[in-house]
Amino acid sequence: MIELVKNSFDADARSATVTLEPDALTIEDDGTGMTRDELVAGFLRLASTFKVKEPKSRIFKRQRAGRKGIGRFATQRLGSVLRLKTWVNVNDPGIELVVDWRKFESGRNLDEVPVYLGQEPPAAPGTKIRIELLRDEWSDAQIRRCWRGLLALQQPFPVAPVEQRPGADPGFEVRFLREGGLFNDPKVVADFQSEILDHRHATIEFRVNDLGIAEWRLTQNKFGPDRGWQNIHHEHRDGVSPPAYRFLRNVAMKAHYFIIAPDLLPSLVFTRVRDILREEGGIRLYRNGFRVVPYGESGNDWLHLDQLYAQRGPVLAPVANRNFFGVIEVHDPEGVQFEEHTSREGLIETDAFGEVTGLAMAVLATAVNRIAEDRGRKRSAGGSAERKTSDALDRLRKAAQRVQAAEEVLARRRDPEDESSAKDSNLNESQAGQTEDTGPAQGERTAELLHESIALLEQQQAELADEAALLRLLATLGLTTSEFSHETGMTFEAVRMDFRAVFEAALQARADDDVFAERAERANAMLSRLDALTAYLNELASARSVRQLSSISVSKAIDEFAIGVRSLAEKAGITMEIDTPEYDPLYTKPMHSAEVASILLNFFSNSLKALRRTEGQRRIEVKAERENDGQIVIRFSDTGDGIPEENREKVFDLFFTSRVAAPAAANTAEQYSGTGLGLWIVHQIISKAGGDIEVIDPPAGFATCLEVRLPAEEEK
């Protein structure tokens, strides 16, 4: 079967379809067909030299894959009757060959066996081989093995001829069908869709209309809900009413997304999916229906996906070229948006080209963020990994105790010299029967429980390992930030006096220059703000280095937070309102001393983004108080654009974010901004401290309120 389909590949066919019937099979292709001489000399003659003389196909210059002179053997092995029809030109008659292999009897001369060779009406070029009275039954597993044997010849993309090279190979696709019966259509058994694309984890798309409005969506998501069409602009990361693109028009993308992990792909397809993605993965570019090289070729990172994954791989789900099969289609018949280089190799990097690369990268990375969010939520559903592991261990301990007690009772009964056996003999018959009957059953249930618990513990161990890796990364980032803050603080200490002297000298030299004086004053104020913020971060860094737990004064932490960020708030036009008890320090139960400050800083960062997206008065209120149930309550409110009702619980999930992904060229801080880690970390801090956090209805005049509840330290 494989050798016959290889003949279609050698004949420059774009596709070949194999259809299995109950007692026949058909192989049909759209190749160049065979002349009478080629049919007799090449197909029917054993050990033909035709492929030796022409090692490459005539049109697409393919390296011939079929073995010479095996066509006759292949058809004879598969069935008893061969019916072959072939056409070379749409205007010329075709040829029909009929061979009944049953007539080739032992001892009979070959020239006595009739072989029918006739004429067929004109049709499109190609060859159709029908083999009847099959010698074997074909299972779906055998058919799939044949398809995999042809995998190296197949092109994973439905491509058009490359524009710069009209004679380029358009690719080769093989489909295996099984006849569905009298009233049913043929069923696909194996093709690229069923064997590869059906194992994708999601499909990601975008489209830009003729007005420049861009939308994207995420469908066929195996980890969570699909996301319908929503507007996007890669330069407006908050995604709130993004504007139209200035130059980009009539562009669309469709990309299939794969996570190459053994636990996320069926074992039978993992290896081939991984290998194909390594060789063929990426996003191709098509212009007016023709492919443009080198975009999407192996090693070509035109959308900076490999660069992006190298920067953020430890945190986000994979977003490298090898994780996608995708196509971007550009409709630009006049060549206004996308112009070719004079060398006809690639496109000139016009404004439209820059917009399409930025949009494509943002859509792919944003969709991957959403998938990572769904995967994170799935892992954490039903409670934390630590809690599940603890519960499983408790169950194991209790089961072990029951088994040990049952075994001791049974051992005493079996030992007549045991003094306690006399006491056991006093058990009434019902009690004895109950013990004896439940012993083996209890043992079986215990064994089953042990196996289930072991599997659960292994799963939780893997999840904890993932979380530990993420926390190590965040710890590394924290250490780097601490070192930077420390060095910056030392720099300010060294240059503060020098800057003051420089300002004074400059102002004296240009005493009559009001504009210069205003700039100098603004620069001095900015330096003071940066100095105050750096000092606050240095204090937090120092506090984080202390591992000992201690009671934390929430009132003091809020006051220090307000002092540290007040300059940033003033610069952004934000009014800070602090409300803490005058004579109550609000001590919590022991925590790390910097954790409350980290919570407040994260809230402030999110509020800053939300307030920038709104018009009108910008206010932040931080209120803390002690409640009668012995809890310290912090309420952080702002007048930003709010959190939709359906997202109130989701905002604390790992990787949940409504922001568009940062471009690959963004700095590290921007890359991690808006990845959905901040509030998840806050939730972890509060949960470990025995507290709780939720989004509640805001007080009058505010749009959002985050409420934190922490256990209060006992008075003693």
Side-chain angles (χ1 to χ4, degrees):
M1 176 79 80
I2 291 175
E3 292 303 322
L4 290 175
V5 178
K6 284 182 178 179
N7 285 342
S8 298
F9 176 82
D10 294 342
D12 289 315
R14 291 168 173 80
S15 65
T17 300
V18 182
T19 304
L20 274 297
E21 301 174 21
D23 198 29
L25 67 85
T26 303
I27 303 172
E28 190 169 3
D29 67 48
D30 57 358
T32 55
M34 290 181 282
T35 64
R36 187 182 188 282
D37 291 341
E38 290 170 345
L39 177 62
V40 174
F43 186 82
L44 288 178
R45 188 182 302 277
L46 300 182
S48 167
T49 60
F50 173 71
K51 294 183 179 180
V52 176
K53 294 178 180 178
E54 293 189 32
K56 294 196 175 185
S57 64
R58 295 171 184 172
I59 299 178
F60 301 131
K61 306 303 178 185
R62 294 171 177 169
Q63 186 69 40
R64 294 189 187 275
R67 289 181 287 176
K68 57 183 181 293
I70 202 172
R72 198 199 85 170
F73 279 134
T75 58
Q76 185 179 9
R77 171 63 185 85
L78 292 176
S80 298
V81 178
L82 164 66
R83 299 183 186 275
L84 184 151
K85 298 179 181 181
T86 184
W87 295 265
V88 175
N89 191 299
V90 68
N91 298 317
D92 297 333
I95 302 171
E96 181 184 21
L97 168 70
V98 180
V99 181
D100 188 343
W101 302 111
R102 294 171 297 179
K103 296 180 180 180
F104 287 78
E105 300 172 354
S106 177
R108 187 176 182 183
N109 293 330
L110 291 180
D111 55 6
E112 297 177 0
V113 180
V115 174
Y116 174 78
L117 194 62
Q119 197 174 80
E120 280 290 300
T127 299
K128 180 177 181 179
I129 297 175
R130 180 176 174 83
I131 302 172
E132 300 174 350
L133 302 177
L134 298 180
R135 304 185 191 279
D136 303 282
E137 293 184 359
W138 285 80
S139 67
D140 287 355
Q142 289 173 312
I143 294 173
R144 292 191 179 98
R145 281 199 295 273
C146 284
W147 185 89
R148 290 196 291 271
L150 298 161
L151 191 56
L153 307 179
Q154 299 185 63
Q155 164 63 261
F157 287 92
V159 300
V162 180
E163 189 173 16
Q164 286 82 359
R165 295 180 289 127
D169 190 346
F172 180 64
E173 181 184 7
V174 183
R175 301 173 71 231
F176 282 82
L177 310 178
R178 188 182 289 281
E179 189 64 48
L182 183 61
F183 300 105
N184 298 317
D185 294 331
K187 180 187 71 172
V188 175
V189 178
D191 62 0
F192 212 91
Q193 177 71 35
S194 62
E195 293 296 289
I196 302 294
L197 296 185
D198 281 350
H199 302 293
R200 64 186 176 271
H201 295 108
T203 297
I204 305 166
E205 299 172 86
F206 76 68
R207 63 190 182 191
V208 183
N209 63 17
D210 55 2
L211 299 177
I213 303 297
E215 299 176 302
W216 78 280
R217 71 175 179 178
L218 172 65
T219 58
Q220 302 180 52
N221 180 10
K222 292 189 176 180
F223 301 104
D226 291 346
R227 273 76 168 180
W229 291 107
Q230 50 192 299
N231 292 342
I232 190 173
H233 193 297
H234 71 280
E235 293 180 348
H236 296 264
R237 292 190 59 205
D238 290 323
V240 179
S241 301
Y245 278 94
R246 293 183 59 193
F247 304 98
L248 200 58
R249 301 289 186 274
N250 302 317
V251 178
M253 181 196 76
K254 185 172 185 177
H256 303 295
Y257 177 61
F258 298 80
I259 301 176
I260 311 171
D263 59 328
L264 296 179
L265 288 169
S267 57
L268 295 177
V269 303
F270 170 74
T271 300
R272 70 170 175 270
V273 170
R274 179 197 62 192
D275 293 344
I276 292 175
L277 285 165
R278 284 177 177 174
E279 296 295 326
E280 303 289 347
I283 307 295
R284 270 64 167 171
L285 177 64
Y286 290 82
R287 177 175 177 265
N288 303 325
F290 294 90
R291 180 161 170 216
V292 182
V293 292
Y295 309 113
E297 293 290 303
S298 179
N300 180 269
D301 191 25
W302 72 292
L303 294 180
H304 309 291
L305 297 175
D306 290 339
Q307 174 188 344
L308 181 66
Y309 185 50
Q311 292 172 336
R312 303 195 295 174
V315 174
L316 298 184
V319 69
N321 282 294
R322 63 179 176 272
N323 298 107
F324 298 98
F325 276 145
V327 172
I328 292 178
E329 297 179 348
V330 173
H331 182 68
D332 182 30
E334 304 299 326
V336 176
Q337 296 177 314
F338 298 90
E339 303 176 37
E340 295 177 331
H341 281 289
T342 54
S343 63
R344 303 182 68 81
E345 181 75 11
L347 302 176
I348 298 173
E349 295 190 4
T350 60
D351 292 326
F353 184 84
E355 288 183 343
V356 76
T357 56
L359 172 61
M361 194 285 299
V363 168
L364 294 172
T366 301
V368 165
N369 285 0
R370 303 299 186 266
I371 293 170
E373 167 208 334
D374 293 336
R375 293 178 66 196
R377 184 186 300 117
K378 187 174 181 180
R379 282 199 304 268
S380 61
S384 68
E386 290 184 5
R387 171 57 59 188
K388 290 181 180 178
T389 305
S390 177
D391 291 344
L393 286 173
D394 287 342
R395 293 173 65 196
L396 283 173
R397 293 190 187 100
K398 292 177 181 178
Q401 291 171 0
R402 289 196 299 269
V403 171
Q404 184 178 5
E407 289 179 348
E408 289 177 354
V409 171
L410 292 174
R412 286 196 299 269
R413 288 183 175 181
R414 289 192 295 266
D415 186 0
E417 297 181 0
D418 193 326
E419 295 180 357
S420 62
S421 62
K423 297 180 181 179
D424 291 336
S425 63
N426 293 330
L427 291 170
N428 59 46
E429 293 182 1
S430 62
Q431 289 176 317
Q434 182 180 6
T435 305
E436 291 175 357
D437 292 341
T438 58
Q442 179 67 48
E444 292 176 3
R445 286 197 298 272
T446 302
E448 182 181 351
L449 176 62
L450 287 171
H451 287 299
E452 292 177 357
S453 300
I454 289 171
L456 177 60
L457 289 171
E458 289 175 346
Q459 178 185 349
Q460 300 308 319
Q461 185 179 28
E463 293 177 6
L464 288 171
D466 290 342
E467 183 174 322
L470 176 59
L471 294 177
R472 282 195 298 271
L473 172 67
L474 296 174
T476 302
L477 293 174
L479 287 173
T480 303
T481 304
S482 299
E483 292 174 3
F484 175 79
S485 299
H486 177 66
E487 294 297 327
T488 305
M490 292 180 62
T491 301
F492 276 122
E493 290 290 341
V495 304
R496 186 182 291 108
M497 298 301 296
D498 292 338
F499 266 117
R500 185 174 300 171
V502 169
F503 282 137
E504 291 176 357
L507 288 172
Q508 290 176 2
R510 302 179 64 172
D512 298 330
D513 191 341
D514 294 337
V515 175
F516 177 77
E518 183 179 350
R519 289 179 178 174
E521 181 63 27
R522 186 167 62 247
N524 196 19
M526 292 297 295
L527 184 63
S528 298
R529 292 174 183 174
L530 190 57
D531 190 12
L533 181 59
T534 304
Y536 180 58
L537 292 175
N538 281 334
E539 291 180 7
L540 291 183
S542 299
R544 287 190 182 100
S545 65
V546 179
R547 296 188 178 183
Q548 185 176 359
L549 300 180
S550 61
S551 297
I552 306 300
S553 169
V554 170
S555 297
K556 180 182 178 182
I558 291 176
D559 290 341
E560 291 175 345
F561 157 77
I563 295 171
V565 303
R566 191 174 297 279
S567 58
L568 285 179
E570 291 175 355
K571 180 185 176 183
I574 299 172
T575 301
M576 293 282 296
E577 303 170 13
I578 306 299
D579 184 0
T580 57
E582 187 173 0
Y583 300 109
D584 189 347
L586 301 179
Y587 279 109
T588 68
K589 286 191 174 181
M591 299 175 60
H592 286 292
S593 58
E595 288 181 330
V596 175
S598 298
I599 294 169
L600 296 171
L601 274 175
N602 188 279
F603 290 171
F604 178 77
S605 175
N606 289 337
S607 292
L608 202 59
K609 299 168 191 172
L611 290 166
R612 286 171 178 166
R613 298 192 293 262
T614 60
E615 301 293 336
Q617 188 178 16
R618 297 178 175 180
R619 296 168 55 204
I620 289 178
E621 179 187 76
V622 185
K623 183 176 182 180
E625 59 185 352
R626 184 189 301 273
E627 293 200 342
N628 295 331
D629 58 359
Q631 289 188 317
I632 306 298
V633 180
I634 305 172
R635 296 185 180 92
F636 197 106
S637 307
D638 65 52
T639 58
D641 56 354
I643 299 174
E645 184 73 28
E646 64 271 15
N647 291 343
R648 285 193 172 189
E649 293 185 5
K650 297 179 183 177
V651 294
F652 304 110
D653 289 342
L654 182 62
F655 297 128
F656 175 81
T657 178
S658 60
R659 300 196 76 195
V660 174
N667 58 42
T668 302
E670 186 68 9
Q671 291 288 355
Y672 284 99
S673 174
T675 56
L677 291 173
L679 286 178
W680 175 78
I681 294 172
V682 166
H683 185 269
Q684 296 293 306
I685 291 173
I686 295 170
S687 297
K688 300 296 183 185
D692 194 15
I693 180 174
E694 64 177 325
V695 181
I696 65 172
D697 294 333
F702 291 91
T704 303
C705 182
L706 292 169
E707 181 182 84
V708 175
R709 292 179 172 271
L710 295 169
E713 179 64 286
E714 298 176 1
E715 292 185 4
K716 64 180 181 181

